[in-house]
Amino acid sequence: QVQFVESGGGLVQPGGSLRLSCAASGFTLDDDAIGWFRQAPGKEREGLSCIGSSDGSAYYADSVKGRFTIARVNAKNTVYLQMNSLKPEDTGVYYCTMCEVQGGKLYWAMDYWGKGTLVTVSS
């Protein structure tokens, strides 16, 4: 049973920061690339970042480059997303799952999802 539990969301002012956590279970985290996605009301789910399993390389969508940082601690079976300089357009429900990069775009590798964590950026 592959499971993801996201946490760390909340209400933050523009320019503020949050750190999201993704606790994974049911598989060997070391063997999989894990990424973050978000979905805003009325919009399609958007890939934000993906961190590789072997070399630790990270990929970022243009919308978050320079502001978000992804990290993983395999011993804790956890992936983090540090979000800085938050903007109102960052508002949405954030999810983590297995990911892959194709043609410079981020995709979820398999259809495993948690409930997500809500991030609201507002003054």
Side-chain angles (χ1 to χ4, degrees), residues 25-68:
S25 63
F27 66 101
T28 303
L29 184 63
D30 308 46
D31 296 338
D32 296 279
I34 306 295
W36 287 92
F37 300 78
R38 73 184 174 199
Q39 188 165 23
K43 296 184 178 180
E44 297 293 326
R45 188 165 295 178
E46 175 189 14
L48 304 176
S49 183
C50 181
I51 186 166
S53 61
S54 59
D55 59 4
S57 61
Y59 302 85
Y60 297 94
D62 289 341
S63 60
V64 303
K65 284 182 180 178
R67 300 189 299 120
F68 291 10

Side-chain angles (χ1 to χ4, degrees), residues 1-22:
Q1 295 181 347
V2 177
Q3 296 182 349
F4 298 94
V5 179
E6 301 92 345
S7 63
L11 175 64
V12 64
Q13 295 182 353
S17 298
L18 285 173
R19 189 178 76 158
L20 307 183
S21 297
C22 169

Side-chain angles (χ1 to χ4, degrees), residues 5-10 20-21 36-38 83 92-96 114-120:
V5 179
E6 301 92 345
S7 63
L20 307 183
S21 297
W36 287 92
F37 300 78
R38 73 184 174 199
M83 307 187 297
V93 179
Y94 284 66
Y95 304 87
C96 63
K115 295 182 178 180
T117 185
L118 176 63
V119 173
T120 302

